[in-house]
Structures are given as C-alpha cells and as structure tokens.
Amino acid sequence: MTRRTPRTTRTARTALALAAVLALATGCGAKVAEDGDAAKTDEKASGHYPVTVENCGVRTTYDKAPQRVVTNDVNIAEIMFALGLEDRMAGYVAPDYRADRESVPWKDGYKKVPWLSKKEITKEMVLDAKADLVFAGWNYGFSEGRGFTPDALKKLGVGSYVLTESCRNGGAGKARGVMPPLEALYTDLTTLGKVFGVEDRAAKLVAGFKKQVAEAQAGVPADGKRPTVFLYDDGRDKATTSGAFAGPHDIITKAGGDHVMKDLKDTWPSVGWETVVERNPDVIVINNYGDVTAEQKKEFLKSYPPLAGVSAVKNDRIFVLDYVDLVESPRNPAAIAALARYLKGVREQ
C-alpha cells in the first residue's frame, strides 16, 4: 500500500543544509538546529526542551519543536490536525481519496494547511517546502526503492518521524508493525505531544478515544459468539488484507468480531483466495480507496466463483469503511463504533 505525493524543483540549501546536517550528528535524522531562531530561545526558556523520544526504536532529541512539517497521506495529516498542530505544518501530501473530510472535528486543518501534491512525495518537494521534518511511514511515503528514506533526508538536514503502525518488524525485513494498532495510534499521539509541547492535548485525545472504544465494546456480549471477519483491501489474483499489526485488526476485534487473519504478524500482507474460503468469514469489510470503488469490489466478491459458498458472500454481509478509517488515524475509534453496530445486527440475525 504505497502512498503518493508531489514533484517540484528548487536549488540546494547550502549553508543552512550543512549546518543542519552537522547538528544532526547525534539526533538520528529528526533534529534540525537553526541558530538565532527566537522561537527556539523561547521554547528552551519554557523548560520543556530539549526533549528525547523514541520512535520505531530510534531515540531522537529535539531542541525545539519542528516548525515546518510535511506529512504523507491523509491519516498522518489528520494525526497532526487532531493535535492542533496546523501552524507547525508546511503542507501535506495525499491522493484525492473519497473519504468525507467535512464531518471530522479537525476538518479546518484541510483549509489551513497547503495540499502540496496528490502524487508521490519526493526529496525535491520536501526541500521546496523548506521542511524541517517529514512525518511518513514505510510504504506510506518512505521507500528504499525510490531512495526516499529517513537516512536520505538526514543527509539533506531534514528530520523524520515514522508512523508507528509501519515500524519495521525485525530490522531489515519487510514485515511491519511492532505493537497492537490502537496502541500505535496512542503512542504516536503521546510521542508527538512531547515533541511539540502539547502533551495535555495529546493526553486528552487519547483519553477520549479510549472512552469511545470502551463505549463501543460495552455492547459486545462477553461470552457471545463473535462473527468472523475478513478485511478485503484489494486484489483479484490474491487478496491484500490486514494482519495483526494494521488498524483493521483492532477495529474488528474491539467491535466484537473475530479477525480471521489475526495470525499474520504483519500490517498489509496478501493471501490466496483459498485461505479466505477455508476460513469462511461471516462478514467481509471492504477498504474503500483507490481507483476501484467499494461497489466494484463488492461486485467482484459476489461474482467470483470460488467465494460463492463463503458465508459473508452467500448472506450478503459486506460492510464498507473508508481507507482513512482503517489505517492508523484519529478515525479508528469511530470506525470501531460503526462496525460494532453492524456486527450487533449480524449477531441478532
């Protein structure tokens, strides 16, 4: 699941870039110093900085809050918006997904922060935006194949923060995810709260989300049978789905479902259709994003002969959630509540 961003050009930032690289020698790619910055002096005087945090196993010290953050993809932009950090953003990069952007509490972020591109994020675009930090994730912008990595940005004097959902599991391996999905969301909110000096705001968000999830779970029978649920992201020859470390696992589980792919220790792996048939889910949740609409995905599932006997297809129990509901984002708790209502109806049938 690779997210995209823009392409622009600019000249290299000579002396400033060199000074930033030297300042980064002990900061692992996310610490950018700007001598003579009045805001830096004020923030140090507040007693909050310097602050050291850990992100995907890497410890970074910030002498001040980043001033010009560029984010990749809608879910990551909305983490910043939910924390009220629009004034610390130089822009966001994201495809034009069909998700509703008007009903979320942080909708004004989309009006305040420049939408830099609908294409792949690039180093040229980051430099053109004069970014001091890129907030993205592996396969959510960062890509070794394209040379867009935290290490590559560090050489340009730009720091990085990696979405915790996408943390590498096992070093250089491709598997991602190091903790349960909701814990990843709460971790990023809490960590970014420290980085930007908005810890109270972050704590309030986390507490509110936990309360919302608890209320959704209150309607799930403790000893009742849980409907089995399969997450369908995309794919015809094989199905891209959610493993234990992507958002849908917690959304399904905490909504009262039994995630049929919970044994896959990854975020977004692919499986053969024979595995789906064998596990025979009661419900299929469709991830609505990309060029193939949710309705087209549903029609495929209902017309694909090998799936004809699968309970969810046979009984037309197919539920749709938007992409930004299902990847790590502040929308996850509301998605849990929505799916919990649907699964309650399935249990009562």
Side-chain angles (χ1 to χ4, degrees):
M1 297 180 61
T2 302
R3 312 306 166 212
R4 304 185 293 276
T5 60
R7 181 183 174 87
T8 55
T9 58
R10 59 160 285 136
T11 58
R13 295 180 293 170
T14 53
L16 178 60
L18 178 59
V21 170
L22 292 174
L24 279 162
T26 59
C28 79
K31 176 180 175 182
V32 180
E34 298 178 17
D35 293 336
D37 192 318
K40 177 177 178 179
T41 301
D42 291 343
E43 288 177 338
K44 277 193 171 182
S46 72
H48 181 76
Y49 297 94
V51 61
T52 299
V53 299
E54 184 171 312
N55 169 229
C56 292
V58 176
R59 289 176 64 81
T60 306
T61 297
Y62 293 84
D63 290 334
K64 55 171 280 190
Q67 306 294 309
R68 295 188 59 80
V69 181
V70 170
T71 62
N72 185 75
D73 226 338
V74 288
N75 57 317
I76 297 176
E78 290 193 1
I79 289 174
M80 294 290 288
F81 296 164
L83 285 167
L85 296 173
E86 295 92 341
D87 63 337
R88 302 293 183 142
M89 296 177 67
Y92 72 94
V93 177
D96 192 9
Y97 292 127
R98 292 180 290 274
D100 172 27
R101 301 185 184 190
E102 291 299 317
S103 62
V104 291
W106 45 87
K107 64 181 180 181
D108 287 347
Y110 288 110
K111 301 173 184 176
K112 296 176 181 177
V113 179
W115 189 352
L116 299 178
S117 178
K118 300 178 183 179
K119 299 179 181 179
E120 285 185 336
I121 192 168
T122 65
K123 287 180 281 191
E124 292 83 1
M125 182 274 295
V126 168
L127 290 175
D128 194 59
K130 299 180 176 64
D132 56 6
L133 184 77
V134 172
F135 181 9
W138 290 108
N139 282 21
Y140 293 90
F142 292 133
S143 167
E144 287 171 334
R146 295 191 300 108
F148 190 86
T149 67
D151 283 345
L153 291 175
K154 180 179 179 179
K155 293 176 182 177
L156 299 174
V158 181
S160 299
Y161 186 93
V162 179
L163 185 75
T164 293
E165 179 189 73
S166 75
C167 290
R168 290 280 177 79
N169 190 335
K174 293 183 178 180
R176 291 169 289 157
V178 294
M179 65 180 68
L182 274 181
E183 185 181 335
L185 172 64
Y186 301 154
T187 295
D188 282 335
L189 290 170
T190 301
T191 303
L192 292 167
K194 293 178 182 177
V195 170
F196 289 94
V198 292
E199 291 168 286
D200 289 347
R201 194 178 303 161
K204 185 176 179 181
L205 272 176
V206 171
F209 289 154
K210 287 183 176 180
K211 182 174 182 290
Q212 189 175 11
V213 172
E215 289 171 350
Q217 287 189 285
V220 178
D223 300 323
K225 179 182 181 297
R226 288 174 168 251
T228 54
V229 183
F230 171 70
L231 185 285
Y232 177 53
D233 179 74
D234 204 353
R236 297 294 176 101
D237 295 335
K238 286 187 173 183
T240 301
T241 187
S242 164
F245 293 128
H249 174 73
D250 267 349
I251 291 169
I252 291 167
T253 303
K254 296 188 185 309
D258 180 4
H259 181 204
V260 297
M261 298 298 172
K262 58 183 178 287
D263 58 316
L264 302 180
K265 306 304 181 184
D266 200 346
T267 50
W268 298 93
S270 293
V271 298
W273 288 111
E274 64 276 8
T275 303
V276 181
V277 173
E278 177 187 343
R279 300 190 182 189
N280 191 26
D282 299 313
V283 174
I284 294 176
V285 174
I286 286 176
N287 184 4
N288 183 26
Y289 84 102
D291 296 330
V292 182
T293 68
E295 190 58 36
Q296 288 171 325
K297 291 178 182 179
K298 184 174 181 179
E299 286 304 312
F300 166 71
L301 293 171
K302 293 175 69 175
S303 63
Y304 188 50
L307 299 179
V310 170
S311 176
V313 174
K314 187 166 54 177
N315 295 292
D316 196 24
R317 291 194 292 256
I318 299 175
F319 187 70
V320 176
L321 286 170
D322 283 325
Y323 166 84
V324 70
D325 297 323
L326 290 165
V327 291
E328 183 195 324
S329 82
R331 300 198 193 200
N332 295 156
I336 290 170
L339 183 58
R341 290 190 292 271
Y342 181 80
L343 294 181
K344 179 181 178 183
V346 172
R347 289 195 305 270
E348 293 174 350
Q349 287 178 0

